[in-house]
Amino acid sequence: MELPERRLPDQYFFENLSEEQMDGLMAQGIHLVDSALQYQEMMMMYNCAIREVRTKLEVLNADLSVRYQRNPIEFISCRLKKPMSLFQKLQKKNLPLSLSAIENNINDVAGIRVICSFIDDIYAVAAMLTAQDDITLLETKDYIKNPKANGYRSLHLIVELPVFFSDQKKNMRVEVQIRTIAMDFWASLEHQLKYKKTVRNEEAIVAELTECAETIAATDQRMMEIRNKINENAENPDVDEANTEESLREKLDRFNIPSL
């Protein structure tokens, strides 16, 4: 006996649609594809903006490394906000779920986190970055001088810069967060607590974290002061050692330029 041709469930659905319904369905499909492509293009542009700012920071770090034999930036990390996070933020602001609403109202779609060794490095790096003539500083939130109630500390900058694409130049916004290693360690742990669904004794843990934030802030300050004392008390021989072997070795060490 010959078996009937096997058909997928969707085939029955499409066979029962009128021509007008099919046209409407196709229009919706085209709209969804177009929206997805536009979203992908927008994310590509934000990703390029991240690369531009990251390159600027890496150039600053390399320059300071050669000039002063010290890297103020320990490491840099980057991220793009995920779609669900973007839509939640739009809903919180009572804004429509559209690409234009994202672009016009959310400043931290593209984010860069800069980790420095010392507190004064944070402000030095921020000043050097925002002094560049193609960078526009739109907003500053200093959570180091004015910590959040839970103890969170970091310097947040919203910057805007032109990015050149194949057919246009577009001003893009990037959030730059600059903090010390200790501040970042604290923020990472606090983030884990924030996004856990259920945590027993949460209030006690929050209180402990707040106390740790104060300890970390005091340690950061003390470490910076110790570094300053080391620099101030470094021996400076009165005798001219310009031609000694030791002095020559020190000068040759300056040729240890970071590789590309």
Side-chain angles (χ1 to χ4, degrees):
M1 182 177 67
E2 186 177 351
L3 295 174
E5 180 184 356
R6 185 179 178 183
R7 294 190 296 176
L8 298 173
D10 285 349
Q11 287 180 280
Y12 294 102
F13 173 74
F14 286 113
E15 285 176 359
N16 293 322
L17 290 178
S18 66
E19 185 176 343
E20 183 179 349
Q21 288 173 322
M22 280 294 293
D23 288 343
L25 193 62
M26 286 295 293
Q28 289 179 28
I30 291 171
H31 175 71
L32 286 172
V33 171
D34 285 345
S35 296
L37 289 172
Q38 290 169 11
Y39 176 81
Q40 186 179 37
E41 182 180 6
M42 184 177 73
M43 289 298 106
M44 175 274 295
M45 289 180 171
Y46 277 113
N47 193 38
C48 290
I50 284 175
R51 292 181 184 180
E52 292 278 356
V53 177
R54 179 168 191 154
T55 298
K56 287 177 176 294
L57 291 164
E58 288 173 345
V59 168
L60 283 174
N61 208 33
D63 181 21
L64 294 168
S65 175
V66 172
R67 289 176 185 271
Y68 303 109
Q69 299 295 292
R70 191 175 74 83
N71 296 92
I73 298 174
E74 292 290 337
F75 61 91
I76 301 169
S77 61
C78 309
R79 65 106 183 98
L80 286 172
K81 255 193 184 328
K82 294 180 180 179
M84 184 56 66
S85 179
L86 290 172
F87 293 149
Q88 287 174 345
K89 203 157 191 178
L90 288 174
Q91 288 181 323
K92 191 178 292 185
K93 292 174 176 282
N94 294 319
L95 294 168
L97 302 180
S98 67
L99 298 182
S100 60
I102 292 172
E103 191 171 358
N104 295 328
N105 297 282
I106 300 181
N107 290 329
D108 62 344
V109 178
I112 294 182
R113 186 172 299 153
V114 183
I115 309 303
C116 295
S117 299
F118 301 100
I119 296 173
D120 55 357
D121 287 336
I122 293 173
Y123 293 104
V125 168
M128 286 183 282
L129 176 66
T130 56
Q132 297 188 20
D133 57 13
D134 59 342
I135 290 276
T136 301
L137 177 61
L138 300 179
E139 184 180 343
T140 302
K141 291 182 179 178
D142 192 339
Y143 296 117
I144 299 173
K145 294 179 179 175
N146 302 290
K148 290 186 178 181
N150 64 353
Y152 175 84
R153 287 168 169 82
S154 184
L155 179 65
H156 291 198
L157 309 174
I158 302 296
V159 299
E160 188 175 75
L161 75 162
V163 182
F164 292 83
F165 301 100
S166 61
D167 59 346
Q168 62 176 313
K169 179 183 78 170
K170 190 173 179 65
N171 289 328
M172 305 295 299
R173 295 179 182 182
V174 178
E175 182 189 53
V176 183
Q177 298 180 359
I178 316 178
R179 58 181 69 149
T180 65
I181 298 170
M183 292 174 191
D184 189 57
F185 174 55
W186 184 94
S188 176
L189 190 59
E190 192 271 342
H191 184 270
Q192 290 183 38
L193 174 65
K194 187 176 180 180
Y195 287 94
K196 293 288 185 184
K197 291 183 179 179
T198 55
V199 178
R200 286 178 297 177
N201 302 320
E202 184 174 345
E203 290 184 5
I205 294 172
V206 169
E208 282 190 71
L209 273 173
T210 304
E211 184 180 344
C212 284
E214 295 298 325
T215 302
I216 285 172
T219 302
D220 269 337
Q221 182 65 33
R222 190 173 179 186
M223 291 292 283
M224 185 176 66
E225 291 169 357
I226 292 171
R227 182 213 57 192
N228 291 341
K229 288 178 182 177
I230 292 171
N231 291 339
E232 290 168 4
N233 293 291
E235 292 185 4
N236 296 309
D238 295 330
V239 296
D240 182 10
E241 296 182 350
N243 296 319
T244 65
E245 182 181 351
E246 182 179 0
S247 180
L248 178 61
R249 189 181 299 114
E250 288 176 356
K251 290 186 177 182
L252 287 174
D253 284 343
R254 291 176 64 85
F255 286 96
N256 186 23
I257 299 173
S259 58
L260 296 176

